[in-house]
Every structure is written in C-alpha cells, then in structure tokens.
Amino acid sequence: MLDARRTHDVPLECQVHSSCGLVGQNMRTLRRKLEEFICSREADMNELESRWKKVKSIKGEYWSVVQAIREGRSLPMQHVARVEQLIKEDEEIQLQASFCSRSRLTIAARAGGGRTDPFMTTKLVGETSRVIVDEICDYLMKDEIWIIGIYGMGGVGKTAISMHIHNKLLENLALGDVFWVTVPHNMSAYDLQNEIATMLNLDDLSKEKDVKKRASMLSRHLAMKKTSVLILDGLLTHITLEDVGILVGAGRIKLVLTTRSLDVCRRMLCQMYIHIKPLWPDEAWTLFSLTNSSNPDLPTEVEQIAKLVVGKCEGLPLAIVEIATCMRGVDDVHEWQDVLQKLADLKMELEVFERLKLSYIEKLYSQGNAILNKLKNACLLEKQSPLGKSIVKMHPLIRDMGLHVMNTAYMVKAKKELVDIPGSEFWTYGLEKASLAGNKLREIPQDMSPDCPKLTTLLLSKNESLAMIPDSFFMCLHGLKVLKLSGCRITKLPNSFSDLVNLTALLLSWCLELCRIPYVGKLKSLRKLDLIGCQVLKEVPEGLEMLLNLQYLDLLYTEIETLPEGMIANLANLQHLKIQEVNAEDLIELKMLETLHCSFPNIKAFNTYVSFVGLNSLHKYGLKVNGEEQDDNDDVNHERRVVVGGCNHITTGTQGRISDGCILLPKNVQELIVRNCGGMTNLCDIVPLEDLEVLDIIRWDNLQVLSGGPDEGILIHNCTAPFPYSRFTPLHLPCLQRLSIQGCPKLKKLFGEIVGI
C-alpha cells in the first residue's frame, strides 16, 4: 500500500552550508522577535505600574470607608458618591486588563502560528485506512521526508483519510500548525496563494497583485514559522511550488497532497506515493451499515438485496455513502429491488456519477499504450495479473459512469444477467453500438426487427442459452460492421444475415452447435471471419471465394479440414490464416501472409513451403507435419512453433539434395517438438537456431549424445542451471530456456565422444 520513493539525496557539504545559512537567518529573526517582545513588555509594565497605583489608591479609600462604618461614624454625601466612582474605576481597570490580555493572546497566536481547529470527521472503516493515517503522520516527523502524495480514483476516500491525518497532526505539539487548503478546480498560482494566505491570516497579501511578489511575501511568512504541514486537497495538475511561494524541505514547510493521478505525484517530486484502493467487501458493508444507521436491523430479504446493491459499488466509499444516505429508513423490499434494477440498467442518476465525471474525462489523451498508461496512473484502470498474464481492468463504477455520460448512441448491458433481450425502447433510431455480451439471453422474439440503420457494432457473445436468431432480426440492420456471436448456442444463422453487405468482422468462435452459415458471397467488405471452435461445422461457407478483401480466416477445431482447390489463391489479401491442413502450392500465392497455423500432410509438402517461401518473413506460425495429434504444450506461448510427428532426420541446411524423410527447419523457430525421429544420433545438423527457446526430444531411438566430439558442446545462455562444456560453441543455441528429453534408450550422456560413428 505504501510505495515510498526518495527523490534527491543532497550531498553533505551542501547540507552543511544550507544549515549554516539557515541558522544565521534564524538568529537574526530570533533577535528581532526578542527586541519586539521586550519593547512590548516594557510598555505593558509601564501600563501595569500606572494601573497598580490606581488600584492601591482605590484600596486605601475602600478601607477608610470600611473603618468609618465599623466605628459608627456618619459619612458625608461626597463619600457616598466617591464609592460609586471607585466602583466604576475598578470596572474600567478590569475591562482594560481583560482587553489587553485577549489582545496579547491574539497577537501571540498570529505571530506564533496558532493551532487551527480539528475537522468534524466520520469513523474510518477498515484497518488499512487507519494504518495509512498513522504511518503518514510518522513519516512526516522524519527530517528526510517533506512531500507525500496520496492518490487514487475519485470517490475512493482520499479526502476523508487526509482529514484524519490533519486532526492527528494537530495533536502533535512538535509541529507549528497544520493548514488545510482545498485546491480550486480551475486553479492558478494566484488563487492558490489566496487560499493559503487565508489559512495563515496573512491579510497583507491581498494588497499585492503581482504573483511573483506575492510568492516572495508568502515564502517569507512561511519561513518564520515553526515546522508546519500544508495539506493540498484535490490537486488535479502539477504546480511549481516556488511560483506559489511554498518552499518545502527540512526545517521548512512539509507538504501532503491528494490527487487522482500518479503522474501528479511524480511531477511534484513526492518522496512517497500512497495509493488508496477501494474497500474490501466486508469493509464496504460496514461503511454502509454505519451510514444507514437509522435502520440497522433490516429484514433478511432486504438485507440480502442491500448487500447486492453495495456490491455494485465495488468498494467505492463515495458511492456507498450516497446510496446508504438515499435509502435511510427504507425497509420495503420492492424499493430495494427497484434500486438494484436501476443500477443494473444504468439509470441511477446519483450525485456520485457527477463527481466521478471529471476523473473519467481528464485522461482522454492520444492513442495506444500512452492512453493505457495515463488511465492506469489516474487510477481509472486497475492492473491485474491472472495466471501470469498482464491485463488491465476498469473499475465497474468508472465504467458505468462513462456509459452514463454517453448519449443514446450506445447501449451497453454486458454481464447484467439479463434473460430477455431489451425492449424496443432501447433500440433507438440513433443507436450506433450495442453490447449484450455475457448475459443469459434465451431467445429473441420471432417478430423482433430493430430499426437501427446507424448500428455498426452488435455484441451478443457468451449468451450460452441463445439458440436461435429469427430471420426478421437483421432485416433493418444493414449498417452493421461488427457482429460477434462467439460462445452462443446457435445452430445456424438466419438467411437475412446474407444481406449485411457492410459487415467487416464476423466473429463466431466456439459456437459449439453451429452447423450452417448461409451464403456469404455478398459480404464483399468482410475482412475477418473467425470460426475457431465451431466443432460441428462441416461445410465451407458458400461464396467464401468471393471475399477478396478477407484478411483473417480461422477454421481451427472445426470439421473443415481443408479448403477446396484454388480457393486460397482467390484470397490473396489474407494476412492471418489458421486451418487444419493446406496445400503448400496454394500458400505460395499468399504474398501478404504474416501469421500461419496449419498442418502439412507429409514432409515433402512441409519442405516445399519452407524451401520456396521461407518463414523468416512470417511474424508468427504454428506448423505441424505428419498428422501429429494435439500436443501437450499449448500452454507455452511462442509465436513461431514447429511440431513434427515423425521423420528420419532434421536439418537447417539446404546444401545439396535433402534426403527422403528429412525435415527442413525454418531457422527462426522458437519452439521445436520432434517425436519419433529414428535417424538422428546427435544435434549437430540442427544448428544454428539463434531463436530457439524450447526443444522437446521424444522417442529418438538412436540418439546417443547431444554433441559428439571432445571439441563440441552446446552453448546455452539464460539457463538457471548451466550445462557442462558451455564454453564450447559448435552447437550454438543462445536463447534456449528449456530442454526436454524423453524415451531415448541409447542416450547415456549429454556430451562426449560417440563411439563407432
């Protein structure tokens, strides 16, 4: 949670010179303050001496009157009037004394940085938040830490945590004071100077209009203070502290800032970054219960729904508090069900969406990886690593908020557990994109025909119960460009599908029961056809040869073993081809090919393709030869892979005639799996393979050594355990990471001389 980063290590000599200068400056300031104090106290003493003489005079007259009364003497009228006058004089003296006392306290408070008042705060939920508060306060007491950044997505609780930090620091008498400034949204250096001056009771700053002079005044005032802490809450962009007049450092002001962006923390040279993350589910429910304390004992059915509602907030405190506040005192199950449904339908217009809107819009920058990095640093995307893969995920509330601010051109109801397809009111004339992926849709009504001429993208994937789409459904959707039905239970596409002439991508992967695709010859714009995993699909879609713009074709794990003769030659723009078996001569015509996954029926066909085309120009390939069954190493993610099911010999050289049963390997292969290779006694003929990372040797009956002479060896880098004789280089495999050998009965040692060869 705490990500401490130091920025600059100041050399010792610089620290000494800086310290001497600071001591000299502080000594001059101390002398001036002492002189002012002595002068003010001398004036006070003179005033007190005069007032004391008056008090003694009043006291003397008082006892004279008391003595006369005790002796029974009568008092003239002037003495009675004098008593009344003495009472007034005494009241005036007490009033003056009280006023002077209050004035001195006020002056002392302003001169010495009087303590500000603590904030009214709510109880922090979760042990993590309390630990963060304690640790930040502890770090601020260290001389080497003077700038700390607290960052996280909008509504995650940065301000609440900072308020607790503010209050805890106020209890520390070693600090001069703790100042809180809420940074204006459209902030300028001038505005920020005004906010800080207000906190410091620095009235003179308002008389100066020049920003640089104001910065100088502010810095001088802060320099005279005992070490204090300034909290800047809600910093949206980087600021130059010197331009404002904030000089941070050892013995100076210390700074704590809150922001939605990690980039702001970095540019502000924060020595520590503290990432505030959403609450855990149990913490979220605790926060909801505390906020909704007016009815702590909800009926069981209502409580179950309330927990689902809180779950929709995904641990975001702002959303949880907003909903809990709105639902205080509500124990009717139907009202709670309505709230849950509204959240699912993205119709709930809570204040949280408005306050999150700024976070969403702030980071819409340029394209590609730059966007992802910005969004991750702004806490709009969360980095995750399931099964070792690096992915990013958007917080569901941020996603919902983004969809909320969109207009009616988008309908996104993915993963909402919908059973019925949304009604006609959602299929508007201006609809451009629609996603109903990951639901539980069972059917589409027979007469449903959405009139959405502008709809370009329709995602119905992963609706595992969706078995049929009526012919009427596509009749008015001629603007469709992307249609995704992957993972549905459909058995066929309706005939009206054939008229989607603007379609560029048809994604039908893993439609396990799909057995028929209607005529596709009209889809001249189609560039991607993904049919992987359509296990019962036996026939090539009619008209496929007409798709001259097709760039991506995946037919793996279907009943389509190969394409009719001559069809591939018509698909000259193919860049990505995956098919079970292919004719080598047809592949030669594909000049644009970048990715190839296929099987060759025999070694001759395999060698023909490698010899005449070569594979060094291909970015990715997965090739199998001799009808090799599905191997066990699909989890290894290598872009260039060859699997051989049986051969007599393997070579990478092309000198002379290649003998029958000899495999010609592409030189840039990364993963090589060879089974049943009876003619290989060592590996000398397969080098050099500069890119080889994985080598699996299985059932090589005559393999005796990997390299066979005293001056031969395998040079392997990047291995956790070095191989013997790694100083020798004839078998050069610089990238090899894994070597697996199985079922080689004659292999007695890896390296050494071969006898009888």
Side-chain angles (χ1 to χ4, degrees), residues 497-668:
F497 156 82
S498 299
D499 295 322
L500 301 179
V501 296
N502 292 305
L503 206 62
T504 61
L506 176 60
L507 311 176
L508 299 169
S509 60
W510 301 105
C511 290
L512 302 180
E513 299 183 28
L514 181 65
C515 59
R516 177 184 176 274
I517 298 176
Y519 182 71
V520 298
K522 296 181 183 179
L523 311 183
K524 300 296 180 64
S525 299
L526 197 66
R527 285 172 170 75
K528 182 171 184 177
L529 177 58
D530 188 359
L531 298 173
I532 185 174
C534 296
Q535 298 177 353
V536 297
L537 185 64
K538 298 180 179 180
E539 297 180 359
V540 175
E542 184 182 357
L544 183 64
E545 70 280 1
M546 306 292 291
L547 306 182
L548 304 184
N549 292 310
L550 196 66
Q551 298 174 358
Y552 183 110
L553 177 62
D554 193 339
L555 297 172
L556 287 181
Y557 307 111
T558 68
E559 290 293 316
I560 302 173
E561 294 185 358
T562 187
L563 294 177
E565 185 176 353
M567 180 176 286
I568 287 183
N570 289 341
L571 307 177
N573 288 310
L574 272 179
Q575 298 175 12
H576 180 112
L577 175 62
K578 291 186 177 183
I579 189 170
Q580 295 194 39
E581 190 171 297
V582 70
N583 186 297
E585 285 76 11
D586 288 341
L587 289 176
I588 296 174
E589 302 298 326
L590 300 181
K591 308 297 185 183
M592 310 268 304
L593 200 61
E594 296 179 357
T595 301
L596 174 64
H597 285 249
C598 68
S599 295
F600 291 90
N602 52 57
I603 293 175
K604 182 179 179 180
F606 180 91
N607 289 346
T608 298
Y609 185 67
V610 174
S611 298
F612 287 97
V613 178
L615 292 176
N616 288 326
S617 61
L618 285 183
H619 298 302
K620 300 179 181 180
Y621 56 79
L623 307 178
K624 297 181 182 180
V625 63
N626 270 357
E628 172 59 28
E629 69 277 6
Q630 184 71 21
D631 59 85
D632 298 325
N633 291 310
D634 281 341
D635 59 319
V636 181
N637 186 23
H638 291 93
E639 294 184 344
R640 298 185 295 276
R641 190 165 184 255
V642 173
V643 180
V644 180
C647 64
N648 184 54
H649 202 79
I650 302 173
T651 183
T652 57
T654 57
Q655 295 83 4
R657 180 178 177 273
I658 299 176
S659 61
D660 293 340
C662 179
I663 290 285
L664 177 61
L665 291 177
K667 292 185 178 181
N668 64 352

Side-chain angles (χ1 to χ4, degrees), residues 394-432:
M394 180 170 283
H395 190 283
L397 265 184
I398 291 291
R399 171 179 170 276
D400 288 352
M401 179 278 309
L403 298 171
H404 177 79
V405 300
M406 290 181 180
N407 55 31
T408 56
Y410 299 87
M411 175 175 65
V412 181
K413 296 180 179 295
K415 298 182 180 180
K416 300 296 181 182
E417 299 189 357
L418 300 181
V419 175
D420 299 318
I421 197 165
S424 58
E425 68 272 15
F426 291 95
W427 301 88
T428 62
Y429 186 85
L431 187 64
E432 296 178 10

Side-chain angles (χ1 to χ4, degrees), residues 163-207:
M163 291 171 68
H164 281 268
I165 293 171
H166 171 274
N167 291 355
K168 187 174 179 65
L169 290 174
L170 283 177
E171 300 171 2
N172 192 331
L173 299 180
L175 292 173
D177 205 347
V178 185
F179 303 106
W180 178 284
V181 174
T182 301
V183 180
H185 282 305
N186 298 319
M187 180 198 64
S188 65
Y190 190 92
D191 296 331
L192 188 54
Q193 286 171 342
N194 283 341
E195 295 291 336
I196 297 174
T198 300
M199 293 295 100
L200 299 175
N201 294 317
L202 187 57
D203 299 332
D204 292 342
L205 195 70
S206 61
K207 300 175 184 177

